[in-house]
Amino acid sequence: MSKEKQFVKEITPQGEDFSRWYIDAISKAELMSYSPVRGCVVLRPDGYEIWENIQRELDRKFKETGHRNAYFPLFIPESFFQKEKEHVEGFNPELPWVTEAGGEKLEERLAIRPTSETMIGHMYSNWINSYRDLPVLINQWANVVRWEKRTLPFLRTTEFLWQEGHTAHEDEADARKETMQMLEVYRDFAENFLAIPVIMGQKTPSEKFAGAVDTYSIEAMMKDGKAVQAGTSHYLGTNFAQAFDIKYLDRDNTQQFVHTTSWGVSTRLIGALIMVHGDDRGLALPPKVAPTQAVVIPIGPSKTRDQVVPRAEEMFYELKRAGIRVKLDDSPDQSPGWKFNEYEMRGVPIRIEFGPRDMENGQAVLVSRVTGEKRPVKLDDIVQEVSKMLDEVHDAMYNNAKTFMESNFKAFDTLDEVKAFMGAQRGFVLAGWCGSDVCERQVKEEAGATSRNIPFEPAEHKTKCLVCGEKAKHTVVFGKSY
Amino acid sequence: MSKEKQFVKEITPQGEDFSRWYIDAISKAELMSYSPVRGCVVLRPDGYEIWENIQRELDRKFKETGHRNAYFPLFIPESFFQKEKEHVEGFNPELPWVTEAGGEKLEERLAIRPTSETMIGHMYSNWINSYRDLPVLINQWANVVRWEKRTLPFLRTTEFLWQEGHTAHEDEADARKETMQMLEVYRDFAENFLAIPVIMGQKTPSEKFAGAVDTYSIEAMMKDGKAVQAGTSHYLGTNFAQAFDIKYLDRDNTQQFVHTTSWGVSTRLIGALIMVHGDDRGLALPPKVAPTQAVVIPIGPSKTRDQVVPRAEEMFYELKRAGIRVKLDDSPDQSPGWKFNEYEMRGVPIRIEFGPRDMENGQAVLVSRVTGEKRPVKLDDIVQEVSKMLDEVHDAMYNNAKTFMESNFKAFDTLDEVKAFMGAQRGFVLAGWCGSDVCERQVKEEAGATSRNIPFEPAEHKTKCLVCGEKAKHTVVFGKSY
């Protein structure tokens, strides 16, 4: 047992202090450790493996939709940031600068990339010549750095891992189609892989990406009612094409600027899935992303060990061969009860109890992490039964999260109602908005809630602005955000 | 066709200028582009996909041998480099420094990692408590930066991608076993996946990793006779354990330092496989790592296109379903002859020609990139025949490279002979060495060759030092290196 883990004696209950619960849960489960560098965490093997599972599935989806991966430099020359006005304003305050290297002061400072639109824009201007070169559909898996004032493991760290898609198209229609396609890839992934229900919509101008024409997002509700932006997709118009001179000769032999998009998700998804699914016992990991999907624990008196353990091993290998990420814990040093708690705390979706009486009856007992249901199943059907319960656990997690979100999502007409709601409990609010920055800012200042997005499918349409009472231009989701 | 590619009209023959050939070949095949940042290149999709194929296979091997992945910070505090004396001397000249971030000057400069022994050592000292925590078997896939004076795409770039394994063990025997195990993983991978024969051995003290007790390497011979160090594995003893206080309570309740190892390969493997296998027509990619393993090209008069193309598509899907990385080029814009050259230049292992007469005969013609053999095969057996030829191409590439290495590998007794050899042609030299730095340096100064390694299985054992004529302590491989 590591020093860090010993240090966390108990997990603070969520109701007592949600932030404390979160740190306790991820530390005790050894997903991460704080590093000696401000705001940077170490992704320990169980944390990193969640990311690997996320990567594998998303990468498959990106390739299915025609994208290929590439790799661009970590360093971005200072002059590049000057080329797109909004972009430099958005990112300049967060940049770390390399000023010396190889024993010498650099002539031009190099930023560590916070995102790669500028570098990739520069390269695309070299690569793209003609409409025949389009579309360019590239994704990058990389580390990026943003010097954040307040950090929180996974959700907001100085360095983080992400993917950033960057595509170039002949015209607006094609680029917008791509923007929407990738947002839908993210929604599908969040709901069907991470069991996180999300709200799809468009960001208001004040919340969009620095340099984008339009930004779209999926937003998820954590168990404390706060929002996490779980993925974004941007239509960048010709902003970066003009800044980096990305032109092509069109079918009529005329020079045109390309239309570009970018889209990304990051390791913050790990934070989101923990805050959506975890409980007072610790993590609860969605089966498709869990490093360990099922753990086999032999039980019963120690004198029966010699009979039970070999049969438990057989079961373990059978499940493993079937592609289930299974673990066998037959250590004699810890009691079954200790192990039950341990793997519940680590969020393993299914526990498989197996004792001498089960062996006699040719069965094992599956226990669901989420519902607590104990289900005796025949050993002959073990693979099928475990697979079935994994699906059920996924569905239960998704439905629980969906019910939670719906029950903490209220429609209001006035800022006073929103203030009262945000003061008493947390959650999302649906309200009309006139479209002015002033009213949007007032919601933030008085209710502490920012606009999350303008949902594509609001539960109802509001006709008046919650602040000024004028005609609503949009129905907006507001919430406190991480 | 991109601007960059248009720019490279012809590939310089290897015999005329090997370095020029190399740059022409990788540029024209669009594996990489130069970036605006000094010494950094962009890995374009075909280059990056080679890396993805390398990653997938190595990652599988690492996991099979019990390792798990994790992720550690990019930034390393300056004070960390002071803790291991040899390490700081080795890496300090190559470090880039972040001195400002978030609009402020940092109190302590942060280096961009050139390798992560120090950061990981610090973390291990937090994680490791008892012999029960050992061994720790972790690998990291990451970008690292070394501010090199002379750079060459893939082989030596400022930023590069690599994996670095870092393990901690109870004692020397266990750590040395790990060091050797991973060296063997690299040898097996180089030979059986990249078709690159290598020489396994131990580095001389002057060539070992900064901070290691012993460094082992696999060395490969390029077609210009120069050497590429294709992978290294280090036994670090307790050097980093002492520097970072990584202690554990052993089975007798006594505090002990752990013994650590590290081992890595990088994107320089891409450069190596190109320089080992390429020829005057361009790339020749080993089948297991090639982004496209086979390309189907419909041929024959244009009036037969409507019959031929649909059947070629069927063949394409059949091969794809069988897991072969296949491409169909049925574009009417380019002639078959142009396509033949194009895919040879790109190094695709097998071309599949398919015309109206082939269709009549129920066959297709497979053409090997390496031997040029044209083999008519039955359409009914296409998957089996392509798989078979892919294996043959791999074997032919390995055997060619092996023959080339053996015929350019000479054993000599004196420095004069070595100087003459290195002056006239390039290749590897086997010679006796007394063990003194002075003699080793003299070989470098006079013959321009450095010690590559002390091979585990030298072709013959030399008894006298090639420089001083004293009793040889080791039989060493010398060569000019990239």
Side-chain angles (χ1 to χ4, degrees), chain B residues 140-243:
Chain B
Q140 171 172 260
W141 293 97
N143 54 343
V144 287
V145 175
R146 297 176 186 177
W147 215 258
E148 302 279 1
K149 291 244 185 308
R150 282 175 46 239
T151 60
L152 188 61
F154 300 124
L155 285 177
R156 194 176 296 276
T157 51
T158 302
E159 181 189 7
F160 57 97
L161 303 180
W162 80 344
Q163 60 69 216
E164 46 181 324
H166 293 273
T167 68
H169 305 262
E170 284 186 63
D171 56 31
E172 174 167 351
D174 199 42
R176 284 196 178 274
K177 202 171 134 197
E178 166 81 7
T179 309
M180 287 304 160
Q181 173 185 253
M182 299 323 288
L183 188 70
E184 169 59 19
V185 164
Y186 290 155
R187 183 206 61 76
D188 176 57
F189 175 75
E191 301 198 339
N192 295 319
F193 206 76
L194 305 181
I196 299 178
V198 293
I199 296 163
M200 272 175 113
Q202 182 172 357
K203 287 283 186 184
T204 61
S206 71
E207 296 285 332
K208 73 182 167 66
F209 176 75
V213 172
D214 289 317
T215 288
Y216 302 86
S217 73
I218 52 170
E219 303 281 337
M221 187 189 289
M222 306 299 104
K223 274 199 176 161
D224 62 352
K226 286 169 85 171
V228 165
Q229 176 181 293
T232 50
S233 187
H234 316 290
Y235 168 61
L236 304 171
T238 58
N239 291 350
F240 286 89
Q242 292 190 52

Side-chain angles (χ1 to χ4, degrees), chain A residues 442-459:
Chain A
Q442 204 168 330
V443 180
K444 186 173 181 180
E445 281 162 11
E446 297 193 19
T450 51
S451 72
R452 303 317 311 150
N453 65 25
I454 302 163
F456 295 153
E457 293 171 5

Side-chain angles (χ1 to χ4, degrees), chain A residues 1-4 6 33-37 40-46 48-49 52 59 63 68-77 80 93-103 106 109-110 112-113 119 122-123 125-129 132-133 138 141 143 145 147 149 158-159 161 247 291 333, chain B residues 1-4 6 33-37 40-46 48-49 52 59 63 68-77 80 93-103 106 109-110 112-113 119 122-123 125-129 132-133 138 141 143 145 147 149 158-159 161 247 291 333:
Chain A
M1 201 188 305
S2 76
K3 291 171 202 170
E4 291 189 19
Q6 287 177 314
S33 284
Y34 288 104
S35 88
V37 181
C40 292
V41 301
V42 174
L43 275 77
R44 299 187 69 172
D46 274 340
Y48 193 82
E49 195 170 331
E52 287 181 292
D59 200 67
K63 285 174 179 161
R68 299 187 72 194
N69 292 325
Y71 189 77
F72 298 84
L74 172 71
F75 300 116
I76 299 182
F80 278 38
E94 296 179 354
L95 299 177
W97 293 100
V98 174
T99 59
E100 303 161 22
L106 299 180
R109 299 195 299 176
L110 297 172
I112 311 291
R113 64 179 162 221
M119 174 61 71
H122 174 89
M123 298 311 301
S125 77
N126 288 332
W127 295 346
I128 295 169
N129 235 3
R132 287 190 200 86
D133 300 324
I138 283 180
W141 292 98
N143 55 343
V145 175
W147 215 259
K149 292 244 185 306
T158 301
E159 182 189 8
L161 303 180
K247 279 190 214 149
D333 298 339
Chain B
M1 199 188 304
S2 77
K3 291 171 201 170
E4 290 189 20
Q6 285 178 315
S33 284
Y34 288 103
S35 88
V37 181
C40 293
V41 300
V42 173
L43 276 77
R44 300 186 67 171
D46 274 340
Y48 193 82
E49 195 169 331
E52 287 181 291
D59 200 68
K63 284 173 180 163
R68 298 187 72 194
N69 293 324
Y71 189 77
F72 297 85
L74 172 71
F75 300 115
I76 300 182
F80 278 39
E94 297 180 353
L95 298 177
W97 293 101
V98 174
T99 59
E100 304 161 23
L106 298 181
R109 297 194 300 175
L110 297 172
I112 310 292
R113 64 179 163 220
M119 174 60 72
H122 174 89
M123 297 311 302
S125 76
N126 288 332
W127 296 346
I128 296 168
N129 234 5
R132 287 191 201 85
D133 300 324
I138 283 180
W141 293 97
N143 54 343
V145 175
W147 215 258
K149 291 244 185 308
T158 302
E159 181 189 7
L161 303 180
K247 281 190 210 147
D333 299 339

Side-chain angles (χ1 to χ4, degrees), chain B residues 175-388:
Chain B
R176 284 196 178 274
K177 202 171 134 197
E178 166 81 7
T179 309
M180 287 304 160
Q181 173 185 253
M182 299 323 288
L183 188 70
E184 169 59 19
V185 164
Y186 290 155
R187 183 206 61 76
D188 176 57
F189 175 75
E191 301 198 339
N192 295 319
F193 206 76
L194 305 181
I196 299 178
V198 293
I199 296 163
M200 272 175 113
Q202 182 172 357
K203 287 283 186 184
T204 61
S206 71
E207 296 285 332
K208 73 182 167 66
F209 176 75
V213 172
D214 289 317
T215 288
Y216 302 86
S217 73
I218 52 170
E219 303 281 337
M221 187 189 289
M222 306 299 104
K223 274 199 176 161
D224 62 352
K226 286 169 85 171
V228 165
Q229 176 181 293
T232 50
S233 187
H234 316 290
Y235 168 61
L236 304 171
T238 58
N239 291 350
F240 286 89
Q242 292 190 52
F244 289 90
D245 198 34
I246 320 175
K247 281 190 210 147
Y248 71 99
L249 213 55
D250 73 7
R251 288 156 210 266
D252 301 324
N253 239 14
T254 310
Q255 290 281 345
Q256 302 280 1
F257 285 115
V258 299
H259 291 250
T260 64
T261 83
S262 66
W263 29 274
V265 301
S266 74
T267 37
R268 79 180 337 218
L269 285 177
I270 301 174
L273 69 89
I274 289 159
M275 286 194 178
V276 166
H277 300 301
D279 59 27
D280 286 347
R281 285 174 293 157
L283 307 184
L285 296 177
K288 291 181 190 170
V289 88
T292 303
Q293 296 177 310
V295 58
V296 179
I297 301 178
I299 58 174
S302 58
K303 63 179 181 198
T304 62
R305 253 187 81 82
D306 288 354
Q307 284 86 56
V308 168
V309 169
R311 185 63 189 87
E313 262 176 27
E314 272 179 50
M315 194 193 327
F316 163 77
Y317 282 112
E318 190 182 345
L319 290 165
K320 198 179 156 82
R321 271 194 309 271
I324 290 164
R325 295 189 292 272
V326 62
K327 193 182 159 101
L328 167 67
D329 188 345
D330 60 356
S331 148
D333 299 339
Q334 308 286 0
S335 71
W338 185 92
K339 291 178 189 173
F340 294 177
N341 289 334
E342 177 74 6
Y343 293 104
E344 285 192 345
M345 179 273 286
R346 290 180 180 269
V348 177
I350 298 178
R351 171 173 85 231
I352 306 175
E353 300 177 2
F354 184 65
R357 196 163 307 165
D358 297 311
M359 206 164 116
E360 272 171 36
N361 298 334
Q363 67 167 36
V365 178
L366 310 189
V367 185
S368 160
R369 169 66 180 83
V370 175
T371 64
E373 185 199 351
K374 291 191 164 209
R375 183 183 301 170
V377 301
K378 283 196 189 134
L379 286 180
D380 289 344
D381 305 333
I382 192 79
V383 167
Q384 190 186 325
E385 292 287 349
V386 168
S387 303
K388 192 176 138 211

